[in-house]
Amino acid sequence: MDAFLHPFASPAKPEAAFRRVVRAEGTRLWDADGNEYLDAIGNLWNCHVGHGRDEIIDAVAAQLREVDCYNTFDPFTNGVAVAAAEAIRSRSPHPGGRVFLGCSGSDAIDTALKLVRHLHQVSGDTERQLVVRRTRGYHGTNFGGTSAQGIEANRAGWGDLVPGMVEVAADDIEALSVVFAEHGSRIAAVLTEPVQGAAGVYPPVDGYLAGLRRLCDEHGALLVFDEVITGFGRTGSWFASQTYDVVPDLFTFAKGVTSGYQPLSGVVVSTDVAERLAAPDAMLRTGYTYSGHPAACAAAVANLAIIEREGLVDRARAIGERLGTALGALAGDGAIEGHRGIGAIWAADLGRDPVPVRDRMLDAGVVVRPIGTSLAMCPPLTISDDEIDRLVDVLAASL
């Protein structure tokens, strides 16, 4: 039996049946058989600046030689963790807030769930423990995030999950109004992706996120955005909350913060939340051995500097215009059933099983991700116009 148990894969699939990636540079990958691929999913929604960037690699290596790793539990800290937190919050909708650092999007979600309940507990509002989730929502695979996600298949088969979750239909603000009318005094938070990514790329309907903000304000609940996929330029702003002009109380991040060069995640909290957490005699009893890992934080600082210097946030909007127009043309011709997206995150809806088309695209040298009846595309923000055209041409030929 093979040693490596692959995530989100059939345990019965033999190791020899997987495509072994041996090299990556820019927007390209190569496998052990010498095949070259255009990485049109950006690794797994996260490689914003492309592969093989020496600036990030050198920053990580230099940091490892200086301090490889030391915890940031009281009384310790390190300068690069402080610098990473500042670089993140200064670009966020909470430039005066605070940043909790973790390792993965999944642990960021669990931290956010703990924080929203903790805030109500320390405020004496102990009945507020319900978290509202949306159908199609994906929030990682830890127990809290599994319980809080709206993709039923991902919740099945694990036995009893974390209690206190209430699901509403995605994009149905009236359904959420009913939930608040029934449970308003017990709702701790509403959790949502601004753009639902792992379910197949679903941007919000007009006014929906503003409606969430309004209902949370009216009923004393917190609004939490999961920006693990949408953060750091993907939607054409540093964060999707800025794209849609709706500010959450807390938001999670991961993926694009380091472009995948090192594992890093976190939660950004507003100034108000930060002040509530810092009540006299308060203690934050949560954290991870690798919270503020120096090498991961060095990767973040270098990565964010590249995004800033190369104008990749603006580039995401240009990618969206070209890719969205091309997918719209395919839909207009009847080649695909539809398309959805914003900035540099899109899906082509085929109206059927997309895996055979994905496989033909792989054979033609382009990597996309099959989800439901759709193919998702989330390329590095460094992708060229010619590469976007190639992506669409291979998609069209593979249909």
Side-chain angles (χ1 to χ4, degrees):
M1 186 171 289
D2 295 319
F4 185 24
L5 185 61
H6 285 261
F8 279 94
S10 169
K13 184 174 180 176
E15 181 67 26
F18 288 85
R19 299 181 187 233
R20 181 166 296 189
V21 176
V22 297
R23 188 161 71 90
E25 182 177 347
T27 58
R28 305 302 174 99
L29 311 170
W30 288 264
D31 67 19
D33 296 322
N35 299 307
E36 180 181 319
Y37 304 90
L38 173 64
D39 182 12
I41 195 64
N43 181 5
L44 199 58
W45 320 87
N46 67 349
C47 191
H48 289 25
V49 302
H51 302 284
R53 301 297 296 256
D54 287 341
E55 185 174 337
I56 303 176
I57 296 165
D58 292 344
V60 171
Q63 181 58 56
L64 287 171
R65 292 187 181 97
E66 184 175 317
V67 177
D68 50 359
C69 178
Y70 208 80
N71 75 81
T72 56
F73 288 22
D74 189 358
F76 299 105
T77 189
N78 67 72
V80 69
V82 174
E86 181 59 42
I88 293 162
R89 77 168 184 174
S90 65
R91 294 172 168 90
S92 84
H94 293 305
R98 301 187 73 176
V99 183
F100 178 94
L101 294 172
C103 311
S104 73
S106 292
D107 72 46
I109 286 293
D110 277 30
T111 299
L113 293 173
K114 290 176 75 174
L115 287 177
V116 295
R117 285 189 172 181
H118 175 69
L119 285 163
H120 294 299
Q121 294 290 311
V122 298
S123 299
D125 205 354
T126 57
E127 295 300 309
R128 285 193 182 271
Q129 297 192 43
L130 297 181
V131 173
V132 179
R133 68 185 184 214
R134 295 168 67 198
T135 56
R136 299 195 308 244
Y138 178 82
H139 302 294
T141 57
N142 285 0
F143 247 71
T146 298
S147 306
Q149 68 172 279
I151 301 175
E152 186 175 356
N154 289 346
R155 296 198 309 267
W158 307 112
D160 293 339
L161 297 175
V162 178
M165 305 292 168
V166 179
E167 186 167 311
V168 296
D171 300 328
D172 189 343
I173 201 69
E174 292 306 318
L176 183 58
S177 297
V178 171
V179 168
F180 267 109
E182 293 177 353
H183 306 289
S185 63
R186 298 177 57 221
I187 294 174
V190 175
L191 171 64
T192 183
E193 301 159 277
V195 178
Q196 293 182 310
V201 188
Y202 289 90
V205 298
D206 288 346
Y208 182 76
L209 296 179
L212 296 185
R213 178 73 274 176
R214 174 178 53 80
L215 286 170
C216 286
D217 289 342
E218 289 176 357
H219 294 275
L222 296 166
L223 179 59
V224 183
F225 278 2
D226 180 344
E227 294 235 27
V228 167
I229 287 178
T230 55
F232 305 102
R234 180 58 60 182
T235 63
S237 303
W238 277 101
F239 294 93
S241 55
Q242 294 158 327
T243 298
Y244 294 105
D245 195 25
V246 176
V247 180
D249 299 291
L250 307 84
F251 70 87
T252 63
F253 65 86
K255 294 190 182 291
V257 67
T258 66
S259 285
Y261 283 69
Q262 290 278 284
L264 185 68
S265 71
V267 183
V268 179
V269 304
S270 69
T271 304
D272 177 65
V273 169
E275 289 173 349
R276 291 165 64 183
L277 288 172
D281 301 322
M283 171 68 78
L284 185 62
R285 295 187 179 276
T286 192
Y288 306 98
T289 300
Y290 300 119
S291 291
H293 190 288
C297 291
V301 172
N303 175 67
L304 298 182
I306 291 173
I307 294 174
E308 182 88 60
R309 185 178 68 245
E310 297 186 0
L312 297 183
V313 175
D314 292 339
R315 176 60 185 160
R317 292 194 290 272
I319 292 169
E321 291 174 5
R322 193 175 190 91
L323 185 51
T325 298
L327 293 176
L330 288 180
D333 291 341
I336 59 176
E337 286 206 354
H339 66 297
R340 304 177 296 272
I342 185 171
I345 175 171
W346 288 83
D349 193 342
L350 311 188
R352 55 189 167 95
D353 181 7
V355 173
V357 179
R358 186 278 308 270
D359 290 344
R360 288 193 287 274
M361 293 184 71
L362 277 175
D363 290 340
V366 174
V367 183
V368 293
R369 185 163 179 80
I371 303 172
T373 61
S374 301
L375 290 172
M377 289 151 267
C378 189
L381 303 182
T382 55
I383 191 171
S384 69
D385 287 350
D386 287 345
E387 289 172 326
I388 294 171
D389 295 344
R390 182 188 169 210
L391 161 61
V392 176
D393 289 344
V394 170
L395 169 61
S398 301
L399 293 169

